[in-house]
Amino acid sequence: MKTVLTIAGSDSSGGAGIQADLKTMISHGVYGMSAITALTAQNTLGVTDVLESTPEFLAAQLDAVFTDIYPDAVKIGMVSSAPLIKVIADKLNEYDVPLVVVDPVMVATSGSALMESDATETLKQELLPIATVLTPNIAEAEALSGLKIKTHDDMVAAAKHIGDTYHCAVLCKGGHRQTDANDVLYHEGKVHWFESERVDNPNAHGTGCTLASAIASNLAKDFDLITSIERAKAYLTDALRAGLDLGKGSGPLDHGFDIHSKYSEMNNQDLT
Ligand SMILES: Nc1ncnc2c1ncn2[C@@H]1O[C@H](COP(=O)(O)OP(=O)(O)OP(=O)(O)O)[C@@H](O)[C@H]1O
Ligand SMILES: Cc1ncc(CO)c(N)n1
């Protein structure tokens, strides 16, 4: 079985972060592992508290994973401070990880800040150069490129700017656009669009985490980058279309829409 490690924050409501990552990985038939950068007290309405891991404890988690079950791919999500980013970069270099998806999580869908402002520079210098692919949403692509994004051409310009500066592939996600949900990849000097109509579902908590974990799972299974993104976007769109409606705010996706087993068919009546 292929193995994938997520390095990210825990979301107590289960829709984003580590929980979304592990659910996505099991749906892709890969073995998921986690190194937790922070605990968030969070639900579909927002984040009420954050407890960061210490850099030493994050390093210990990474050593424990890498010296035992070596991951075929790594997904990085919420990393809120510069010292934690530095630990991750050092460990990924030490263990020589080939496939790294970096989701530069800065602000949650609910509007809560998830990264300290002075950590952005460390992210740029330390993590972007070792990313196989970086997956900013529009606001994150603006912050990383310094460019304003309004049109499809602006998305391409920002992806090019980031990719050429930090030497990584960049997928600029259009999930926050009004008219479509088209994402654009800039990779090895070429531009590739992944087009999708918007799914009419206000429950979009954790879409970014889910897409990045699905890309990492597909890369671990030896699909090339474009195929990995195509498959990941199809999974994300189907998980949105499944129409789960939980919580009082922007609720989670149905990560398990595609998993059929004898256990998922059991209901309470079967148990009596
Ligand atoms: N309503 C929608 N319909 C179809 N696809 C969507 C919709 N909303 C988001 N997506 C897709 O979800 C993926 C994640 O994009 P998005 O821009 O939402 O990321 P994000 O802002 O990082 O996510 P998060 O809200 O988890 O932080 C992209 O492929 C995007 O096109
Ligand atoms: C822990 C965590 N990571 C990422 C996001 C972004 O969706 C979130 N809301 N929470």
Side-chain angles (χ1 to χ4, degrees), residues 109 137 173 175-176 181 183 196-199 204 206-209 211 233 236 240:
T109 312
N137 63 21
K173 298 173 296 190
H176 296 264
D183 306 338
S196 164
E197 286 177 7
R198 293 196 67 74
V199 177
T207 46
C209 306
L211 185 79
K233 198 157 167 61
L236 184 279
L240 261 177

Side-chain angles (χ1 to χ4, degrees), residues 84-262:
L84 293 176
I85 294 172
K86 187 90 182 63
V87 163
I88 295 170
D90 289 349
K91 290 293 172 194
L92 293 190
N93 283 322
E94 179 184 339
Y95 292 110
D96 202 16
V97 182
L99 296 169
V100 182
V101 180
V102 177
D103 186 19
V105 175
M106 294 177 180
V107 180
T109 312
S110 55
S112 313
L114 294 174
M115 186 188 280
E116 292 169 9
S117 51
D118 68 350
T120 313
E121 204 46 44
T122 314
L123 176 88
K124 287 180 181 171
Q125 301 308 329
E126 302 276 345
L127 277 191
L128 270 48
I130 51 174
T132 307
V133 62
L134 176 79
T135 62
N137 63 21
I138 286 181
E140 292 154 353
E142 286 183 335
L144 293 170
S145 66
L147 302 172
K148 271 265 152 237
I149 300 177
K150 290 223 173 328
T151 63
H152 283 152
D153 286 349
D154 296 341
M155 288 172 72
V156 173
K160 275 188 175 164
H161 186 280
I162 300 166
D164 288 342
T165 311
Y166 300 102
H167 309 290
C168 57
V170 179
L171 180 72
C172 181
K173 298 173 296 190
H176 296 264
R177 289 174 57 79
Q178 305 284 316
T179 45
D180 60 55
N182 297 350
D183 306 338
V184 67
L185 176 73
Y186 177 66
H187 177 43
E188 293 173 343
K190 294 201 189 96
V191 170
H192 188 104
W193 281 96
F194 300 87
E195 295 185 1
S196 164
E197 286 177 7
R198 293 196 67 74
V199 177
D200 186 16
N201 182 352
N203 298 304
H205 179 79
T207 46
C209 306
T210 301
L211 185 79
S213 291
I215 295 172
S217 301
N218 286 314
L219 288 173
K221 293 195 283 186
D222 292 331
F223 289 108
D224 62 36
L225 182 58
I226 289 184
T227 310
S228 293
I229 297 171
E230 260 162 16
R231 289 171 57 95
K233 198 157 167 61
Y235 169 76
L236 184 279
T237 309
D238 284 347
L240 261 177
R241 277 205 186 109
L244 190 64
D245 187 12
L246 295 175
K248 299 183 176 119
S250 178
L253 313 176
D254 185 357
H255 291 95
F257 71 90
D258 204 22
I259 298 181
H260 299 293
S261 75
K262 61 179 180 174

Side-chain angles (χ1 to χ4, degrees), residues 66-81:
F66 279 111
T67 56
D68 189 20
I69 305 177
Y70 190 86
D72 292 302
V74 172
K75 178 250 159 164
I76 302 173
M78 171 189 173
V79 194
S80 46
S81 69

